[in-house]
Amino acid sequence: MSYQPLIAPSILSADFARLDREIERIPAADWIHVDVMDGHFVPNLSFGAPVAKAVGEVTDKPMDCHLMIEDPARWVGDYVDAGAASITFHVEATDDPRAVADLLHSRGCRAGISLKPGTAVEPYLDLLEHVDLVLVMSVEPGFGGQSFMPEVLDKVRTLRAEIDRRGLDVLIQIDGGIDSRTIGEAASAGCDVFVAGSAVYGAPDPDAMIETLRAGAADARA
């Protein structure tokens, strides 16, 4: 099967006062990425479930919620109810990531785990059979507009090798500093899904930038 990179623009970089119109500006997007921050697990505070629900009501694209929050098991149901197609939570925020993934699957939602840049991937390889997605953070979670950290690509390569060796249907997502300069390197390492915030919404034509990013990823894996 040919490689089909997925671009998931992050509305963290959009104009919050015009989210419906900002989403309308990106018809080429594959997913809509919603960054949820609680001011505890990360220092910043962003969207909650009511905003996620509002986003889901103005788009028919899959909503991809990234929960940068403490105690995700307590809150994931709210984002399922809000209409999320996939929910990713941080392994650093729970003592039992498999239980959270199982809870999401029981609610009919795609389950993802996320790792901070400093978190090793090897202790979590046993979870690959229990999740649909692994998000490798290429910046420290909590703020948009940071610079890409290429050293995290070793984790991507490890994941790619394990997923392929086991024949699993697990996507590798990357988030942080993804733009037209960095997406090729991330794609070559093995990423499938690319979160881009400021690169998309900071462009004169956000939708054209999505196509540029998609082409850059595809060319890198050709």
Side-chain angles (χ1 to χ4, degrees):
M1 186 174 181
S2 62
Y3 176 60
Q4 297 180 325
L6 303 174
I7 309 300
S10 170
I11 60 171
L12 187 65
S13 296
D15 181 348
F16 295 171
R18 302 160 42 97
L19 278 181
D20 54 346
R21 297 181 188 178
E22 292 285 73
I23 292 169
E24 290 172 359
R25 296 174 71 200
I26 52 171
D30 296 292
W31 297 355
I32 304 297
H33 189 80
V34 179
D35 287 300
V36 177
M37 308 179 194
D38 63 359
H40 298 282
F41 180 73
V42 292
N44 207 351
L45 187 66
S46 65
F47 309 112
V51 171
K53 184 175 187 295
V55 169
E57 290 173 350
V58 298
T59 181
D60 58 1
K61 295 184 183 297
M63 183 165 57
D64 175 41
C65 289
H66 175 198
L67 305 187
M68 291 170 271
I69 63 175
E70 294 180 350
D71 194 12
R74 178 180 177 186
W75 304 107
V76 291
D78 292 347
Y79 293 89
V80 175
D81 292 341
S86 61
I87 294 175
T88 299
F89 59 93
H90 273 264
V91 294
E92 304 93 350
T94 175
D95 293 329
D96 194 348
R98 180 176 172 180
V100 183
D102 289 347
L103 174 60
L104 286 167
H105 286 150
S106 75
R107 294 290 307 273
C109 187
R110 185 186 294 117
I113 55 172
S114 182
L115 292 84
K116 292 181 178 182
T119 300
V121 69
E122 286 78 8
Y124 302 100
L125 294 177
D126 288 346
L127 288 173
L128 289 176
E129 278 85 1
H130 305 284
V131 299
D132 307 289
L133 180 150
V134 180
L135 168 55
V136 174
M137 291 298 299
S138 45
V139 298
E140 290 296 337
F143 296 92
Q146 298 180 65
S147 297
F148 181 74
M149 301 170 66
E151 58 268 28
V152 306
L153 295 180
D154 284 342
K155 285 191 277 190
V156 173
R157 296 182 186 100
T158 298
L159 285 165
R160 181 81 278 149
E162 281 297 302
I163 290 167
D164 292 350
R165 183 179 69 81
R166 301 184 203 179
L168 300 175
D169 185 18
V170 177
L171 296 170
I172 302 174
Q173 185 178 60
I174 193 158
D175 182 358
I178 295 298
D179 57 26
S180 58
R181 296 174 295 103
T182 59
I183 196 166
E185 190 177 0
S188 295
C191 293
D192 306 295
V193 187
F194 305 86
V195 178
S198 54
V200 169
Y201 279 110
D205 185 338
D207 211 47
M209 177 54 69
I210 291 170
E211 298 291 10
T212 296
L213 293 171
R214 185 181 289 113
D219 288 348
R221 287 275 283 272

